[in-house]
Amino acid sequence: MRVVIVTESFPPDVNGVAHCALQTARHLVDRGHAPLVVAPATAAGHGPDALAPCPVVRVPSLPLPGYPQVRVALPSRRVATAITEHHADIVHLASPFILGVRGMAAAARLGVPAVAVYQTDLAGYARTYVGAGEATAWRRIRSVHAAADRTLAPSSAALHDLEAHGVPRVRLWPRGVDTVRFRPEHRDEALRRELAPNGELIVGYVGRLAPEKQVELLAGACGLEGVRVVIVGDGPSETSLREALPGAVFLGRRTGDELARIFASLDVFAHTGPFETFCQTVQEAMASGVPVVAPAAGGPLDLVAHGRTGLLVPPRDEAAVRDAVGALAADPALRAAYGAAGRATVEGRTWAAVGDQLIDHYTDVLSARTVVAA
């Protein structure tokens, strides 16, 4: 199968869209298929995509004003050219918004079926950044995804939102997790002594430092006696968060085996953002054997079994986050039980397993097109 993956982000970018696109390309290659990635060009100075598992076509882009880590693709004929020259059987649109919209239009013009993967809560972002515009965001989401042969939602909550806003042909497709890289055995006592020299309980957040993540909700946890909050990630909110979270340790962006070591060395993982369509870092914490505190909204509802693998709290509730962290801090046996249950829960959710599910979706779409054509 010849697949063109049109993605709004791709490594070296570090985010959920980029990571999922990379894992998808890797799995397609492993299964004998022929993927090609189309993605925005990175910042000046980035070399060729030597570590990519397949060819990558880069489209000219500009940094998003105020958030230079995000790059926006400029109009280009490269998308249609890539689909044509690759002789694509199917086009995979990863979180289509700008580049993906052009990919959708090109696929439709060329008669190539398209699968759109919903990954970003644009309506939630509109509410966070401009205080309005949710209806406009949903109109754009609906118009883009309605043109696809199938839309894949990463969680039950996302699927319900899409269907409630009139998006047709929606199916569930979750995300995988690297259960070899992320595992409890990577717990590092030397790192723990470095992060918490007085033996404090370590509560970690991993992700972008941006307004929609609401990391400031960890302020209450910072005030708990014997607790050290550790923040991994970067973004436009870093300066304000350093002021809002006194005593927290900021490690910046970490990736790969180093990130896995940090995850496994936590006592509690706390996620605060209420707009997650999935929340990959929750899965990585669970794979690392770490109990989770997360908002009872969006993707975490599918991932965290309240009272078994972690605690779900009301969204945007700093006191609830603090109390949940405090409850886990006071009960080592409960932390151990939740961590072990979390690891057991995700052991079957490998990228290979969900990658095969994706190929099944491709096959269904191609079969449906064949039936219509006949």
Side-chain angles (χ1 to χ4, degrees):
M1 198 181 308
R2 303 186 67 80
V3 183
V4 171
I5 301 171
V6 181
T7 178
E8 303 291 338
S9 185
F10 196 69
D13 297 345
V14 179
N15 56 59
V17 174
H19 184 66
C20 185
L22 175 63
Q23 293 292 345
T24 297
R26 283 177 174 167
H27 185 71
L28 289 171
V29 170
D30 289 344
R31 290 291 188 261
H33 301 288
L36 170 76
V37 170
V38 180
T42 57
H46 171 63
D49 295 283
L51 300 180
C54 65
V56 179
V57 173
R58 293 286 182 175
V59 175
S61 69
L62 290 174
L64 186 67
Y67 201 160
Q69 293 94 335
V70 177
R71 298 189 68 85
V72 178
L74 297 173
S76 172
R77 296 179 179 176
R78 294 183 188 178
V79 181
T81 300
I83 295 171
T84 301
E85 294 184 349
H86 193 62
H87 303 289
D89 297 306
I90 196 164
V91 173
H92 173 120
L93 304 162
S95 194
F97 180 59
I98 295 177
L99 186 60
V101 171
R102 298 182 194 125
M104 182 77 74
R109 191 166 60 250
L110 296 167
V112 179
V115 171
V117 180
Y118 177 70
Q119 289 182 253
T120 305
D121 183 359
L122 296 177
Y125 284 21
R127 185 162 62 248
T128 298
Y129 284 96
V130 300
E134 290 179 68
T136 300
W138 273 114
R139 281 195 297 272
R140 183 172 181 84
I141 292 168
R142 185 166 52 247
S143 67
V144 172
H145 286 268
D149 292 76
R150 179 170 295 187
T151 286
L152 300 179
S155 64
S156 300
L159 187 148
H160 174 77
D161 283 346
L162 289 164
E163 291 184 335
H165 286 89
V167 176
R169 300 179 296 279
V170 185
R171 301 289 187 275
L172 185 66
W173 180 57
R175 302 291 174 267
V177 63
D178 187 339
T179 55
V180 174
R181 168 167 282 169
F182 296 98
R183 55 190 304 111
E185 289 79 3
H186 294 314
R187 189 175 180 89
D188 187 327
E189 293 302 327
L191 174 61
R192 289 178 51 79
R193 288 191 295 271
E194 180 183 335
L195 296 174
N198 296 316
E200 298 95 336
L201 180 115
I202 302 176
V203 177
Y205 166 86
V206 178
R208 286 197 312 278
L209 306 185
E212 74 275 6
K213 299 299 184 181
Q214 300 185 6
V215 185
E216 66 276 5
L217 293 174
L218 290 172
C222 285
L224 291 172
E225 184 177 356
V227 169
R228 175 59 55 89
V229 172
V230 173
I231 307 296
V232 181
D234 59 12
S237 297
E238 181 172 349
T239 299
S240 62
L241 287 171
R242 285 181 178 274
E243 296 179 1
L245 304 177
V249 177
F250 286 77
L251 297 179
R253 180 187 296 189
R254 304 296 174 94
T255 60
D257 292 342
E258 183 181 23
L259 178 60
R261 188 165 58 100
I262 294 170
F263 261 117
S265 300
L266 301 176
D267 296 300
V268 176
F269 178 76
H271 187 81
T272 49
F275 304 123
E276 301 296 334
T277 59
F278 186 74
C279 203
Q280 181 65 7
T281 55
V282 164
Q283 270 205 145
E284 290 169 349
M286 293 170 68
S288 303
V290 178
V292 173
V293 173
L301 290 169
D302 281 0
L303 299 174
V304 181
H306 181 73
R308 193 170 73 83
T309 65
L311 298 174
L312 292 169
V313 299
R316 308 176 188 86
D317 190 332
E318 180 182 322
V321 173
R322 178 201 63 212
D323 292 347
V325 169
L328 290 172
D331 196 334
L334 191 63
R335 294 199 306 273
Y338 284 2
R343 172 68 193 187
T345 297
V346 302
E347 282 184 336
R349 299 180 188 171
T350 64
W351 279 108
V354 301
D356 286 342
Q357 293 173 23
L358 178 62
I359 292 171
D360 288 342
H361 285 297
Y362 291 166
T363 301
D364 287 349
V365 165
L366 289 170
S367 297
R369 278 287 187 109
T370 301
V371 169
V372 171

